[in-house]
Amino acid sequence: MFRRLPEIETAPNAAAQAVAFTIDGRPASARAGDSVAAALLANGVTACRNTPVSGAARGPYCMMGVCFDCLVTIDGTGNRQGCQVRVAPGMAVETQNGKREVER
């Protein structure tokens, strides 16, 4: 369903702008400047969390910080809006199941 637009060469070495991070402990890569939500979608992860009430899968929807459907745990901090955070090298992103844990 989600796919990137064709690559437009704006920099001489676009490969050098790749950002390595992890999704649920698995290695992944994104483009420099991608939001975490965009990076998840580009890596085939369409569900960021499951709701605590029904367990329904939720994924990025508005991509501008309004819907809160892209909540993920980033570097150990839960309930971060993936669409509002840029992916960074070495970042650990975890999908969330149910409600936020108190320690996170």
Side-chain angles (χ1 to χ4, degrees):
M1 180 168 128
F2 177 84
R3 66 184 168 107
R4 288 186 181 272
L5 293 173
E7 187 73 37
I8 299 173
E9 289 297 328
T10 57
N13 190 3
Q17 297 179 2
V19 176
F21 69 108
T22 61
I23 303 171
D24 292 331
R26 298 182 317 269
S29 67
R31 292 180 186 165
D34 278 355
S35 69
V36 169
L40 289 172
L41 290 171
N43 281 278
V45 178
T46 57
C48 296
R49 65 184 181 100
N50 294 326
T51 63
V53 176
S54 69
R58 308 300 294 182
Y61 180 68
C62 73
M63 301 296 281
M64 60 183 188
V66 176
C67 73
F68 287 79
D69 277 343
C70 61
L71 296 178
V72 290
T73 300
I74 299 175
D75 292 333
T77 303
N79 284 349
R80 301 282 311 271
Q81 288 179 279
C83 68
Q84 298 297 300
V85 178
R86 292 195 189 276
V87 69
M91 180 180 275
V93 178
E94 300 172 44
T95 56
Q96 295 187 169
N97 291 311
K99 64 182 179 181
R100 179 179 176 197
E101 296 173 15
V102 175
E103 301 84 36
R104 290 183 167 188

